[in-house]
């Protein structure tokens, strides 16, 4: 599908404002069965017998985030200009959907002060998302950008964080609204996805968004627990915006980040 310059420019502009609003110059979306982390195949995996580890500090998590050179073919950026400054900047209109909204924006899905996030972008000769303008936007969409979030919890907090995401998938299947950084987003559908099977516990879900008449954008979110630490991944594939094809988290990015947590 040929995308209008309005839709492309809108999607690109929002990248520099807020990761959640990557398509709000166009639209919002999410919906389907439960993604229980320890339930059915394809929705999640769990190692319930694993002992709970002590929570890592925010400083420790910063050091564990993917860094330059960790993933071949990808650039790593702190994401300071694109990611929400904190949970107060992201509000879901239904409490059950809050963990999903946080996971999408690289924030902890449950309560903790120990968190860190960044963005990992496929290398390209075109300008970075934050530098796009109307003249360069058409050639800058053959990239994908993944928002990576790490959070750590005491006791069984990490397991409960993943479970909160799983519960939210079923509860919010019909969609929900998000207010973030002055943007009002409408998630239209949430559906359980195929979990990665990595770490001690994993779950995945897809959110879909109507791009203001320019097609449907669908994004996959992966959540993986390793001991007391939860990692979240949300990828936008700019080349597939509006096509209806789901943007999936690159395996190389997920594998590299989980590897640094084990």
């Amino acid at each position: 599908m040929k995308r209008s310059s309005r839709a492309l420019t809108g999607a690109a502009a929002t990248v520099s404002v807020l990761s959640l609003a990557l398509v709000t110059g166009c639209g919002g979306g999410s919906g389907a069965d439960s993604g229980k982390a320890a339930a059915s195949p394809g929705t999640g995996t769990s190692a319930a017998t694993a002992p709970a580890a002590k929570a890592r500090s925010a400083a420790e998590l910063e050091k564990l985030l993917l860094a330059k050179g960790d993933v071949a073919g990808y650039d790593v950026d702190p994401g300071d200009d694109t990611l929400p400054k904190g949970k107060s900047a992201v509000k879901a209109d239904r409490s059950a959907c809050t963990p999903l909204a946080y996971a999408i924006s690289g924030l902890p899905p449950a309560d903790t002060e120990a968190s860190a996030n960044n963005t990992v972008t496929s290398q390209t000769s075109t300008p970075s998302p934050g530098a796009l303008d109307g003249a360069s936007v058409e050639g800058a969409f053959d990239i994908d950008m993944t928002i990576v979030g790490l959070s750590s919890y005491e006791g069984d907090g990490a397991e409960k964080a993943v479970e909160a995401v799983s519960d939210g998938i079923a509860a919010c299947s019909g969609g929900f609204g998000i207010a973030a950084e002055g943007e009002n987003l409408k998630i239209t559908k949430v559906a359980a996805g195929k979990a990665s099977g990595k770490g001690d516990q994993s779950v995945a879900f897809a959110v879909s968004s109507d791009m203001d008449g320019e097609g449907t954008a669908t994004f996959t979110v992966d959540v993986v627990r390793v001991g007391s630490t939860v990692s979240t991944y949300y990828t936008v594939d700019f080349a597939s915006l509006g096509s209806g094809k789901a943007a999936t988290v690159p395996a190389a990015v997920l594998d590299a980040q989980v590897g640094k947590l084990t």
Side-chain angles (χ1 to χ4, degrees):
M1 166 184 288
K2 178 174 177 56
R3 304 166 192 78
S4 70
S5 59
R6 173 175 174 268
L8 291 174
T9 303
T14 53
V15 173
S16 63
V17 177
L18 176 65
S19 62
L20 270 176
L22 284 166
V23 293
T24 57
C26 317
S30 155
D33 5 87
S34 161
K36 291 287 185 182
S40 59
T43 59
T45 61
S46 175
T49 58
K54 180 176 173 56
R56 288 165 164 143
S57 68
E60 289 174 316
L61 293 178
E62 286 283 355
K63 294 178 181 178
L64 287 169
L65 279 169
L66 288 174
K68 182 178 180 179
D70 283 345
V71 191
Y74 286 85
D75 292 321
V76 179
D77 187 271
D80 294 339
D81 295 331
T82 59
L83 301 180
K85 305 307 178 187
K87 287 187 170 182
S88 61
V90 179
K91 302 291 184 184
D93 63 2
R94 297 171 55 198
S95 59
C97 307
T98 297
L100 307 187
Y102 288 158
I104 292 170
S105 49
L107 297 169
D111 291 336
T112 180
E113 296 298 319
S115 66
N117 55 31
N118 64 4
T119 59
V120 182
T121 308
S122 58
Q123 292 174 347
T124 174
S125 59
T126 55
S128 64
L132 296 179
D133 55 28
S136 62
V137 66
E138 286 283 352
F141 272 63
D142 192 17
I143 61 173
D144 60 71
M145 184 176 76
T146 302
I147 294 89
V148 179
L150 301 182
S151 55
S152 200
Y153 308 80
E154 294 287 349
D156 61 354
E159 292 181 54
K160 289 183 176 179
V162 178
E163 290 168 2
V165 173
S166 298
D167 292 343
I169 296 170
C172 305
S173 62
F176 62 98
I178 303 173
E181 302 286 349
E183 299 283 353
N184 292 311
L185 317 178
K186 177 56 183 174
I187 304 302
T188 58
K189 181 182 177 183
V190 178
K194 182 178 180 180
S196 67
K198 303 294 182 178
D200 299 314
Q201 191 177 14
S202 63
V203 67
F205 63 95
V207 293
S208 301
S209 174
D210 174 51
M211 294 176 60
D212 195 21
E214 295 293 334
T216 299
T218 302
F219 310 97
T220 300
V221 183
D222 278 274
V223 180
V224 179
R225 178 179 69 83
V226 176
S228 66
T229 300
V230 174
S231 56
T232 61
Y233 310 83
Y234 168 67
T235 297
V236 174
D237 181 345
F238 292 92
S240 68
L241 280 177
S243 69
K245 178 182 178 182
T248 58
V249 176
V253 173
L254 191 151
D255 289 348
Q257 183 61 82
V258 172
K260 293 190 73 170
L261 299 175
T262 56

